[in-house]
Amino acid sequence: MTGDGTRSVRAGLPEPVAYEPTLPGPVFAAHFHLPGEADGPYTYGRDTNPTWTHLERAIAELESPDERAEAIVFASGMAAISAVLLSHARSGDTVVLPDDGYQALPLIREQLEAYGIEVRTAPTAGDAQIAHLDGAKLLWIETPSNPGLDVCDVARLARAAHDAGALVAVDNTLATPLGQRPLELGADFAVASGTKGLTGHGDLLLGYVVCRDAGLAARVRKWRKVVGAIPGPMEAWLAHRSLATLHLRADRQAANALALAEVLAKREEVTGLRYPGLPSDPSHRQASAQMRRFGCVVSFDLPDRGFAERFLEALRLVDDATSFGSVRSTAERRGRWGGDAVSEGFIRFSVGAEDAPDLIADVERALDGAGSTAGPRT
Ligand SMILES: Cc1ncc(COP(=O)(O)O)c(C=O)c1O
């Protein structure tokens, strides 16, 4: 088996064809020549596209290097999440969601409940979802959770869910397939927003679902055709191009995140610091058992909203922006959205690929400035 770097640079490449490019360019087509019967690999642009095929092979190779799996790409992470839940849950079914996951999950909950599906929720920490599996059809896991960075034991939860007759889906957005492989840990679906660390440049939206069971994959694929939540060929091609540097970005961003977390741990105005790669973090033991890289998101509390706003304003190398996973650092006061159970001073910091000393100096200068403007703290 090849290493992560080799796999990333070669993922999904077609067999070499003389005088053709290594990664064929994006195919812009609404329809394809289709003589005779309506079958063949490429028919209509909402069903299939050769640029997706290459990307789907690449993502499947990364999420499941040792066993054949099928990937289905979507227009966004939310399109991928909705596809798994809405193609598999029926009226009368029960779905278990985390109560501390991505802030659009409550919108999904509303939609599921409108379709007569019972939704139970529990925190990610302590594998608390395990107590709610009785009679469930599907367990949805998000680990590490966004933005709180709690980690649960995927293998343990998957075993318990399967014993209860439930399917298991893991949102792998934050970890990326180089950080965690949910299918190897027993999940039926690895689902992610490719908008974040997978593609890493903050310039496109994408989502994907990967599963090893052909029947499960077929339902998700059919859902994409029905709903039409397809990625554009340009986005799909850009995403594939970005995969060649995934290992470089993931390593560099995780190293920078750890370096920043170590500095933040020593700052007295910082509380509630979370980074699964930090040995003192409550998630570290479980994260080390199932993750191979700890991601690029660090979260922490500053004393209050004003302090947090001054900090963000003072940063020069870090954009005040939502999302995460980009090579350019971003940070935001998460409470501005109103959807997460976080304090007014809570910061979600996505660490980029800058030089760590530059980034750390910028953050320390911004913290000093935000603190001094407020006057002496008691
Ligand atoms: C953990 C997680 N899952 C899914 C999504 C949704 O992805 P997208 O914005 O590509 O629809 C996000 C977006 O922030 C996320 O953080």
Side-chain angles (χ1 to χ4, degrees), residues 62-99:
L62 292 171
E63 284 281 358
S64 184
D66 299 329
E67 203 173 309
R68 202 200 146 276
E70 210 176 315
I72 304 117
V73 287
F74 285 88
S76 67
M78 282 309 291
I81 292 173
S82 307
V84 171
L85 286 164
L86 298 175
S87 68
H88 281 85
R90 299 270 176 281
S91 164
D93 286 344
T94 297
V95 167
V96 182
L97 301 179
D99 66 14

PDB file of all heavy atoms in Angstrom, residues 62-99:
ATOM      1  N   LEU A  62      -8.969   7.771  -1.369  1.00  0.00           N
ATOM      2  CA  LEU A  62      -8.463   8.395  -0.137  1.00  0.00           C
ATOM      3  C   LEU A  62      -9.250   7.928   1.086  1.00  0.00           C
ATOM      4  O   LEU A  62      -8.680   7.698   2.154  1.00  0.00           O
ATOM      5  CB  LEU A  62      -8.537   9.921  -0.256  1.00  0.00           C
ATOM      6  CG  LEU A  62      -7.580  10.542  -1.281  1.00  0.00           C
ATOM      7  CD1 LEU A  62      -7.886  12.021  -1.478  1.00  0.00           C
ATOM      8  CD2 LEU A  62      -6.134  10.354  -0.861  1.00  0.00           C
ATOM      9  N   GLU A  63     -10.573   7.814   0.939  1.00  0.00           N
ATOM     10  CA  GLU A  63     -11.398   7.415   2.092  1.00  0.00           C
ATOM     11  C   GLU A  63     -11.286   5.916   2.370  1.00  0.00           C
ATOM     12  O   GLU A  63     -11.510   5.485   3.495  1.00  0.00           O
ATOM     13  CB  GLU A  63     -12.878   7.780   1.850  1.00  0.00           C
ATOM     14  CG  GLU A  63     -13.195   9.264   2.009  1.00  0.00           C
ATOM     15  CD  GLU A  63     -13.330   9.695   3.475  1.00  0.00           C
ATOM     16  OE1 GLU A  63     -13.213   8.857   4.380  1.00  0.00           O
ATOM     17  OE2 GLU A  63     -13.549  10.903   3.698  1.00  0.00           O
ATOM     18  N   SER A  64     -10.983   5.126   1.337  1.00  0.00           N
ATOM     19  CA  SER A  64     -10.978   3.671   1.504  1.00  0.00           C
ATOM     20  C   SER A  64      -9.867   3.055   0.656  1.00  0.00           C
ATOM     21  O   SER A  64     -10.122   2.402  -0.344  1.00  0.00           O
ATOM     22  CB  SER A  64     -12.354   3.118   1.083  1.00  0.00           C
ATOM     23  OG  SER A  64     -12.431   1.736   1.301  1.00  0.00           O
ATOM     24  N   PRO A  65      -8.602   3.257   1.064  1.00  0.00           N
ATOM     25  CA  PRO A  65      -7.485   2.820   0.223  1.00  0.00           C
ATOM     26  C   PRO A  65      -7.432   1.301   0.017  1.00  0.00           C
ATOM     27  O   PRO A  65      -6.962   0.845  -1.014  1.00  0.00           O
ATOM     28  CB  PRO A  65      -6.240   3.290   0.974  1.00  0.00           C
ATOM     29  CG  PRO A  65      -6.689   4.160   2.071  1.00  0.00           C
ATOM     30  CD  PRO A  65      -8.146   3.942   2.286  1.00  0.00           C
ATOM     31  N   ASP A  66      -7.922   0.534   1.002  1.00  0.00           N
ATOM     32  CA  ASP A  66      -7.701  -0.916   0.941  1.00  0.00           C
ATOM     33  C   ASP A  66      -8.893  -1.717   0.447  1.00  0.00           C
ATOM     34  O   ASP A  66      -8.779  -2.911   0.198  1.00  0.00           O
ATOM     35  CB  ASP A  66      -7.320  -1.439   2.342  1.00  0.00           C
ATOM     36  CG  ASP A  66      -6.054  -0.787   2.828  1.00  0.00           C
ATOM     37  OD1 ASP A  66      -5.211  -0.460   1.978  1.00  0.00           O
ATOM     38  OD2 ASP A  66      -5.925  -0.570   4.047  1.00  0.00           O
ATOM     39  N   GLU A  67     -10.029  -1.092   0.388  1.00  0.00           N
ATOM     40  CA  GLU A  67     -11.221  -1.840  -0.013  1.00  0.00           C
ATOM     41  C   GLU A  67     -12.014  -0.997  -0.995  1.00  0.00           C
ATOM     42  O   GLU A  67     -12.128   0.219  -0.798  1.00  0.00           O
ATOM     43  CB  GLU A  67     -12.068  -2.139   1.241  1.00  0.00           C
ATOM     44  CG  GLU A  67     -12.986  -3.315   1.059  1.00  0.00           C
ATOM     45  CD  GLU A  67     -13.677  -3.686   2.377  1.00  0.00           C
ATOM     46  OE1 GLU A  67     -12.968  -3.838   3.400  1.00  0.00           O
ATOM     47  OE2 GLU A  67     -14.902  -3.784   2.373  1.00  0.00           O
ATOM     48  N   ARG A  68     -12.567  -1.638  -2.008  1.00  0.00           N
ATOM     49  CA  ARG A  68     -13.302  -0.899  -3.029  1.00  0.00           C
ATOM     50  C   ARG A  68     -14.457  -0.111  -2.415  1.00  0.00           C
ATOM     51  O   ARG A  68     -15.202  -0.635  -1.586  1.00  0.00           O
ATOM     52  CB  ARG A  68     -13.869  -1.899  -4.048  1.00  0.00           C
ATOM     53  CG  ARG A  68     -14.161  -1.271  -5.373  1.00  0.00           C
ATOM     54  CD  ARG A  68     -15.144  -2.082  -6.224  1.00  0.00           C
ATOM     55  NE  ARG A  68     -15.959  -1.167  -7.011  1.00  0.00           N
ATOM     56  CZ  ARG A  68     -17.051  -0.558  -6.577  1.00  0.00           C
ATOM     57  NH1 ARG A  68     -17.495  -0.786  -5.359  1.00  0.00           N
ATOM     58  NH2 ARG A  68     -17.714   0.282  -7.363  1.00  0.00           N
ATOM     59  N   ALA A  69     -14.562   1.142  -2.789  1.00  0.00           N
ATOM     60  CA  ALA A  69     -15.669   1.978  -2.310  1.00  0.00           C
ATOM     61  C   ALA A  69     -16.101   2.875  -3.452  1.00  0.00           C
ATOM     62  O   ALA A  69     -15.379   3.047  -4.438  1.00  0.00           O
ATOM     63  CB  ALA A  69     -15.233   2.813  -1.111  1.00  0.00           C
ATOM     64  N   GLU A  70     -17.288   3.426  -3.288  1.00  0.00           N
ATOM     65  CA  GLU A  70     -17.844   4.273  -4.331  1.00  0.00           C
ATOM     66  C   GLU A  70     -18.079   5.660  -3.746  1.00  0.00           C
ATOM     67  O   GLU A  70     -18.655   5.779  -2.659  1.00  0.00           O
ATOM     68  CB  GLU A  70     -19.192   3.674  -4.729  1.00  0.00           C
ATOM     69  CG  GLU A  70     -19.559   3.920  -6.152  1.00  0.00           C
ATOM     70  CD  GLU A  70     -20.856   3.204  -6.502  1.00  0.00           C
ATOM     71  OE1 GLU A  70     -21.021   2.014  -6.131  1.00  0.00           O
ATOM     72  OE2 GLU A  70     -21.708   3.831  -7.126  1.00  0.00           O
ATOM     73  N   ALA A  71     -17.643   6.692  -4.458  1.00  0.00           N
ATOM     74  CA  ALA A  71     -17.897   8.068  -4.006  1.00  0.00           C
ATOM     75  C   ALA A  71     -18.921   8.712  -4.925  1.00  0.00           C
ATOM     76  O   ALA A  71     -18.985   8.405  -6.127  1.00  0.00           O
ATOM     77  CB  ALA A  71     -16.608   8.877  -4.013  1.00  0.00           C
ATOM     78  N   ILE A  72     -19.722   9.594  -4.350  1.00  0.00           N
ATOM     79  CA  ILE A  72     -20.701  10.374  -5.119  1.00  0.00           C
ATOM     80  C   ILE A  72     -20.479  11.824  -4.731  1.00  0.00           C
ATOM     81  O   ILE A  72     -20.563  12.166  -3.542  1.00  0.00           O
ATOM     82  CB  ILE A  72     -22.157   9.940  -4.786  1.00  0.00           C
ATOM     83  CG1 ILE A  72     -22.328   8.445  -5.027  1.00  0.00           C
ATOM     84  CG2 ILE A  72     -23.169  10.716  -5.624  1.00  0.00           C
ATOM     85  CD1 ILE A  72     -22.666   7.647  -3.836  1.00  0.00           C
ATOM     86  N   VAL A  73     -20.162  12.673  -5.705  1.00  0.00           N
ATOM     87  CA  VAL A  73     -19.868  14.070  -5.379  1.00  0.00           C
ATOM     88  C   VAL A  73     -21.123  14.938  -5.545  1.00  0.00           C
ATOM     89  O   VAL A  73     -21.989  14.653  -6.366  1.00  0.00           O
ATOM     90  CB  VAL A  73     -18.695  14.650  -6.208  1.00  0.00           C
ATOM     91  CG1 VAL A  73     -17.380  14.072  -5.740  1.00  0.00           C
ATOM     92  CG2 VAL A  73     -18.892  14.452  -7.697  1.00  0.00           C
ATOM     93  N   PHE A  74     -21.168  15.985  -4.736  1.00  0.00           N
ATOM     94  CA  PHE A  74     -22.336  16.864  -4.684  1.00  0.00           C
ATOM     95  C   PHE A  74     -21.906  18.329  -4.795  1.00  0.00           C
ATOM     96  O   PHE A  74     -20.716  18.653  -4.686  1.00  0.00           O
ATOM     97  CB  PHE A  74     -23.079  16.655  -3.360  1.00  0.00           C
ATOM     98  CG  PHE A  74     -23.866  15.375  -3.313  1.00  0.00           C
ATOM     99  CD1 PHE A  74     -23.254  14.208  -2.895  1.00  0.00           C
ATOM    100  CD2 PHE A  74     -25.195  15.338  -3.710  1.00  0.00           C
ATOM    101  CE1 PHE A  74     -23.963  13.010  -2.867  1.00  0.00           C
ATOM    102  CE2 PHE A  74     -25.905  14.145  -3.682  1.00  0.00           C
ATOM    103  CZ  PHE A  74     -25.291  12.979  -3.258  1.00  0.00           C
ATOM    104  N   ALA A  75     -22.920  19.190  -4.933  1.00  0.00           N
ATOM    105  CA  ALA A  75     -22.662  20.623  -5.073  1.00  0.00           C
ATOM    106  C   ALA A  75     -22.111  21.244  -3.791  1.00  0.00           C
ATOM    107  O   ALA A  75     -21.471  22.291  -3.837  1.00  0.00           O
ATOM    108  CB  ALA A  75     -23.953  21.331  -5.473  1.00  0.00           C
ATOM    109  N   SER A  76     -22.371  20.636  -2.644  1.00  0.00           N
ATOM    110  CA  SER A  76     -21.917  21.193  -1.363  1.00  0.00           C
ATOM    111  C   SER A  76     -21.970  20.085  -0.309  1.00  0.00           C
ATOM    112  O   SER A  76     -22.563  19.021  -0.544  1.00  0.00           O
ATOM    113  CB  SER A  76     -22.849  22.347  -0.919  1.00  0.00           C
ATOM    114  OG  SER A  76     -24.131  21.832  -0.618  1.00  0.00           O
ATOM    115  N   GLY A  77     -21.391  20.383   0.850  1.00  0.00           N
ATOM    116  CA  GLY A  77     -21.474  19.426   1.943  1.00  0.00           C
ATOM    117  C   GLY A  77     -22.915  19.201   2.378  1.00  0.00           C
ATOM    118  O   GLY A  77     -23.312  18.079   2.674  1.00  0.00           O
ATOM    119  N   MET A  78     -23.689  20.270   2.430  1.00  0.00           N
ATOM    120  CA  MET A  78     -25.093  20.120   2.841  1.00  0.00           C
ATOM    121  C   MET A  78     -25.873  19.243   1.859  1.00  0.00           C
ATOM    122  O   MET A  78     -26.767  18.497   2.262  1.00  0.00           O
ATOM    123  CB  MET A  78     -25.760  21.496   2.987  1.00  0.00           C
ATOM    124  CG  MET A  78     -25.407  22.217   4.271  1.00  0.00           C
ATOM    125  SD  MET A  78     -25.640  21.207   5.756  1.00  0.00           S
ATOM    126  CE  MET A  78     -27.414  21.061   5.814  1.00  0.00           C
ATOM    127  N   ALA A  79     -25.546  19.357   0.570  1.00  0.00           N
ATOM    128  CA  ALA A  79     -26.220  18.499  -0.416  1.00  0.00           C
ATOM    129  C   ALA A  79     -25.893  17.036  -0.135  1.00  0.00           C
ATOM    130  O   ALA A  79     -26.761  16.155  -0.237  1.00  0.00           O
ATOM    131  CB  ALA A  79     -25.789  18.884  -1.828  1.00  0.00           C
ATOM    132  N   ALA A  80     -24.639  16.764   0.259  1.00  0.00           N
ATOM    133  CA  ALA A  80     -24.227  15.387   0.549  1.00  0.00           C
ATOM    134  C   ALA A  80     -24.903  14.868   1.826  1.00  0.00           C
ATOM    135  O   ALA A  80     -25.392  13.732   1.877  1.00  0.00           O
ATOM    136  CB  ALA A  80     -22.704  15.321   0.688  1.00  0.00           C
ATOM    137  N   ILE A  81     -24.941  15.716   2.858  1.00  0.00           N
ATOM    138  CA  ILE A  81     -25.587  15.327   4.123  1.00  0.00           C
ATOM    139  C   ILE A  81     -27.068  15.036   3.887  1.00  0.00           C
ATOM    140  O   ILE A  81     -27.599  14.003   4.300  1.00  0.00           O
ATOM    141  CB  ILE A  81     -25.413  16.455   5.170  1.00  0.00           C
ATOM    142  CG1 ILE A  81     -23.948  16.569   5.585  1.00  0.00           C
ATOM    143  CG2 ILE A  81     -26.310  16.229   6.386  1.00  0.00           C
ATOM    144  CD1 ILE A  81     -23.634  17.759   6.489  1.00  0.00           C
ATOM    145  N   SER A  82     -27.736  15.961   3.195  1.00  0.00           N
ATOM    146  CA  SER A  82     -29.164  15.781   2.923  1.00  0.00           C
ATOM    147  C   SER A  82     -29.392  14.515   2.116  1.00  0.00           C
ATOM    148  O   SER A  82     -30.372  13.794   2.335  1.00  0.00           O
ATOM    149  CB  SER A  82     -29.724  16.965   2.127  1.00  0.00           C
ATOM    150  OG  SER A  82     -29.433  18.160   2.766  1.00  0.00           O
ATOM    151  N   ALA A  83     -28.496  14.234   1.186  1.00  0.00           N
ATOM    152  CA  ALA A  83     -28.686  13.059   0.323  1.00  0.00           C
ATOM    153  C   ALA A  83     -28.690  11.775   1.143  1.00  0.00           C
ATOM    154  O   ALA A  83     -29.525  10.901   0.919  1.00  0.00           O
ATOM    155  CB  ALA A  83     -27.583  13.009  -0.730  1.00  0.00           C
ATOM    156  N   VAL A  84     -27.765  11.649   2.096  1.00  0.00           N
ATOM    157  CA  VAL A  84     -27.720  10.420   2.901  1.00  0.00           C
ATOM    158  C   VAL A  84     -28.974  10.318   3.758  1.00  0.00           C
ATOM    159  O   VAL A  84     -29.670   9.295   3.778  1.00  0.00           O
ATOM    160  CB  VAL A  84     -26.457  10.391   3.793  1.00  0.00           C
ATOM    161  CG1 VAL A  84     -26.526   9.239   4.778  1.00  0.00           C
ATOM    162  CG2 VAL A  84     -25.217  10.275   2.923  1.00  0.00           C
ATOM    163  N   LEU A  85     -29.289  11.403   4.461  1.00  0.00           N
ATOM    164  CA  LEU A  85     -30.412  11.333   5.406  1.00  0.00           C
ATOM    165  C   LEU A  85     -31.750  11.189   4.683  1.00  0.00           C
ATOM    166  O   LEU A  85     -32.582  10.362   5.049  1.00  0.00           O
ATOM    167  CB  LEU A  85     -30.414  12.575   6.302  1.00  0.00           C
ATOM    168  CG  LEU A  85     -29.310  12.571   7.369  1.00  0.00           C
ATOM    169  CD1 LEU A  85     -29.103  13.951   7.947  1.00  0.00           C
ATOM    170  CD2 LEU A  85     -29.646  11.571   8.483  1.00  0.00           C
ATOM    171  N   LEU A  86     -31.942  11.969   3.641  1.00  0.00           N
ATOM    172  CA  LEU A  86     -33.268  11.982   3.018  1.00  0.00           C
ATOM    173  C   LEU A  86     -33.471  10.822   2.046  1.00  0.00           C
ATOM    174  O   LEU A  86     -34.605  10.471   1.734  1.00  0.00           O
ATOM    175  CB  LEU A  86     -33.507  13.329   2.325  1.00  0.00           C
ATOM    176  CG  LEU A  86     -33.476  14.517   3.310  1.00  0.00           C
ATOM    177  CD1 LEU A  86     -33.581  15.850   2.576  1.00  0.00           C
ATOM    178  CD2 LEU A  86     -34.585  14.415   4.343  1.00  0.00           C
ATOM    179  N   SER A  87     -32.384  10.196   1.603  1.00  0.00           N
ATOM    180  CA  SER A  87     -32.577   9.028   0.732  1.00  0.00           C
ATOM    181  C   SER A  87     -32.745   7.756   1.549  1.00  0.00           C
ATOM    182  O   SER A  87     -33.168   6.742   1.012  1.00  0.00           O
ATOM    183  CB  SER A  87     -31.406   8.869  -0.250  1.00  0.00           C
ATOM    184  OG  SER A  87     -30.217   8.511   0.433  1.00  0.00           O
ATOM    185  N   HIS A  88     -32.392   7.800   2.834  1.00  0.00           N
ATOM    186  CA  HIS A  88     -32.483   6.574   3.628  1.00  0.00           C
ATOM    187  C   HIS A  88     -33.542   6.587   4.722  1.00  0.00           C
ATOM    188  O   HIS A  88     -34.018   5.529   5.119  1.00  0.00           O
ATOM    189  CB  HIS A  88     -31.111   6.211   4.218  1.00  0.00           C
ATOM    190  CG  HIS A  88     -30.241   5.552   3.191  1.00  0.00           C
ATOM    191  ND1 HIS A  88     -29.484   6.263   2.294  1.00  0.00           N
ATOM    192  CD2 HIS A  88     -30.073   4.244   2.884  1.00  0.00           C
ATOM    193  CE1 HIS A  88     -28.868   5.421   1.482  1.00  0.00           C
ATOM    194  NE2 HIS A  88     -29.202   4.195   1.819  1.00  0.00           N
ATOM    195  N   ALA A  89     -33.891   7.768   5.231  1.00  0.00           N
ATOM    196  CA  ALA A  89     -34.897   7.790   6.303  1.00  0.00           C
ATOM    197  C   ALA A  89     -36.292   7.971   5.708  1.00  0.00           C
ATOM    198  O   ALA A  89     -36.479   8.739   4.760  1.00  0.00           O
ATOM    199  CB  ALA A  89     -34.574   8.914   7.280  1.00  0.00           C
ATOM    200  N   ARG A  90     -37.240   7.245   6.257  1.00  0.00           N
ATOM    201  CA  ARG A  90     -38.640   7.310   5.811  1.00  0.00           C
ATOM    202  C   ARG A  90     -39.506   7.739   6.987  1.00  0.00           C
ATOM    203  O   ARG A  90     -39.115   7.572   8.141  1.00  0.00           O
ATOM    204  CB  ARG A  90     -39.133   5.928   5.362  1.00  0.00           C
ATOM    205  CG  ARG A  90     -38.389   5.321   4.225  1.00  0.00           C
ATOM    206  CD  ARG A  90     -39.035   5.724   2.899  1.00  0.00           C
ATOM    207  NE  ARG A  90     -38.258   5.214   1.772  1.00  0.00           N
ATOM    208  CZ  ARG A  90     -37.141   5.777   1.311  1.00  0.00           C
ATOM    209  NH1 ARG A  90     -36.656   6.842   1.895  1.00  0.00           N
ATOM    210  NH2 ARG A  90     -36.481   5.264   0.288  1.00  0.00           N
ATOM    211  N   SER A  91     -40.683   8.187   6.672  1.00  0.00           N
ATOM    212  CA  SER A  91     -41.660   8.527   7.702  1.00  0.00           C
ATOM    213  C   SER A  91     -41.806   7.354   8.691  1.00  0.00           C
ATOM    214  O   SER A  91     -41.928   6.206   8.254  1.00  0.00           O
ATOM    215  CB  SER A  91     -42.974   8.832   6.976  1.00  0.00           C
ATOM    216  OG  SER A  91     -44.019   8.822   7.863  1.00  0.00           O
ATOM    217  N   GLY A  92     -41.753   7.642   9.971  1.00  0.00           N
ATOM    218  CA  GLY A  92     -41.845   6.586  10.987  1.00  0.00           C
ATOM    219  C   GLY A  92     -40.482   6.098  11.464  1.00  0.00           C
ATOM    220  O   GLY A  92     -40.383   5.444  12.500  1.00  0.00           O
ATOM    221  N   ASP A  93     -39.424   6.419  10.706  1.00  0.00           N
ATOM    222  CA  ASP A  93     -38.065   6.027  11.134  1.00  0.00           C
ATOM    223  C   ASP A  93     -37.555   6.964  12.229  1.00  0.00           C
ATOM    224  O   ASP A  93     -38.089   8.065  12.427  1.00  0.00           O
ATOM    225  CB  ASP A  93     -37.071   6.120   9.959  1.00  0.00           C
ATOM    226  CG  ASP A  93     -37.253   4.978   8.968  1.00  0.00           C
ATOM    227  OD1 ASP A  93     -37.907   3.979   9.317  1.00  0.00           O
ATOM    228  OD2 ASP A  93     -36.745   5.114   7.830  1.00  0.00           O
ATOM    229  N   THR A  94     -36.459   6.523  12.876  1.00  0.00           N
ATOM    230  CA  THR A  94     -35.798   7.359  13.884  1.00  0.00           C
ATOM    231  C   THR A  94     -34.353   7.591  13.470  1.00  0.00           C
ATOM    232  O   THR A  94     -33.666   6.659  13.052  1.00  0.00           O
ATOM    233  CB  THR A  94     -35.826   6.643  15.253  1.00  0.00           C
ATOM    234  OG1 THR A  94     -37.189   6.494  15.645  1.00  0.00           O
ATOM    235  CG2 THR A  94     -35.076   7.435  16.312  1.00  0.00           C
ATOM    236  N   VAL A  95     -33.922   8.841  13.595  1.00  0.00           N
ATOM    237  CA  VAL A  95     -32.543   9.215  13.259  1.00  0.00           C
ATOM    238  C   VAL A  95     -31.918   9.833  14.507  1.00  0.00           C
ATOM    239  O   VAL A  95     -32.564  10.622  15.199  1.00  0.00           O
ATOM    240  CB  VAL A  95     -32.534  10.219  12.082  1.00  0.00           C
ATOM    241  CG1 VAL A  95     -31.178  10.862  11.922  1.00  0.00           C
ATOM    242  CG2 VAL A  95     -32.955   9.528  10.787  1.00  0.00           C
ATOM    243  N   VAL A  96     -30.655   9.481  14.790  1.00  0.00           N
ATOM    244  CA  VAL A  96     -29.944  10.054  15.942  1.00  0.00           C
ATOM    245  C   VAL A  96     -28.873  11.013  15.425  1.00  0.00           C
ATOM    246  O   VAL A  96     -27.980  10.602  14.680  1.00  0.00           O
ATOM    247  CB  VAL A  96     -29.305   8.947  16.809  1.00  0.00           C
ATOM    248  CG1 VAL A  96     -28.611   9.562  18.024  1.00  0.00           C
ATOM    249  CG2 VAL A  96     -30.361   7.931  17.246  1.00  0.00           C
ATOM    250  N   LEU A  97     -28.983  12.273  15.812  1.00  0.00           N
ATOM    251  CA  LEU A  97     -28.021  13.301  15.391  1.00  0.00           C
ATOM    252  C   LEU A  97     -27.208  13.768  16.601  1.00  0.00           C
ATOM    253  O   LEU A  97     -27.662  13.634  17.736  1.00  0.00           O
ATOM    254  CB  LEU A  97     -28.757  14.525  14.820  1.00  0.00           C
ATOM    255  CG  LEU A  97     -29.678  14.335  13.613  1.00  0.00           C
ATOM    256  CD1 LEU A  97     -30.317  15.678  13.239  1.00  0.00           C
ATOM    257  CD2 LEU A  97     -28.918  13.786  12.418  1.00  0.00           C
ATOM    258  N   PRO A  98     -26.045  14.371  16.367  1.00  0.00           N
ATOM    259  CA  PRO A  98     -25.352  15.026  17.491  1.00  0.00           C
ATOM    260  C   PRO A  98     -26.049  16.350  17.798  1.00  0.00           C
ATOM    261  O   PRO A  98     -26.604  16.977  16.886  1.00  0.00           O
ATOM    262  CB  PRO A  98     -23.941  15.284  16.941  1.00  0.00           C
ATOM    263  CG  PRO A  98     -24.100  15.334  15.458  1.00  0.00           C
ATOM    264  CD  PRO A  98     -25.298  14.484  15.103  1.00  0.00           C
ATOM    265  N   ASP A  99     -26.025  16.793  19.060  1.00  0.00           N
ATOM    266  CA  ASP A  99     -26.637  18.096  19.348  1.00  0.00           C
ATOM    267  C   ASP A  99     -25.609  19.224  19.341  1.00  0.00           C
ATOM    268  O   ASP A  99     -25.931  20.371  19.629  1.00  0.00           O
ATOM    269  CB  ASP A  99     -27.455  18.069  20.648  1.00  0.00           C
ATOM    270  CG  ASP A  99     -26.593  17.840  21.887  1.00  0.00           C
ATOM    271  OD1 ASP A  99     -25.354  17.964  21.799  1.00  0.00           O
ATOM    272  OD2 ASP A  99     -27.168  17.533  22.947  1.00  0.00           O
TER     273      ASP A  99
END
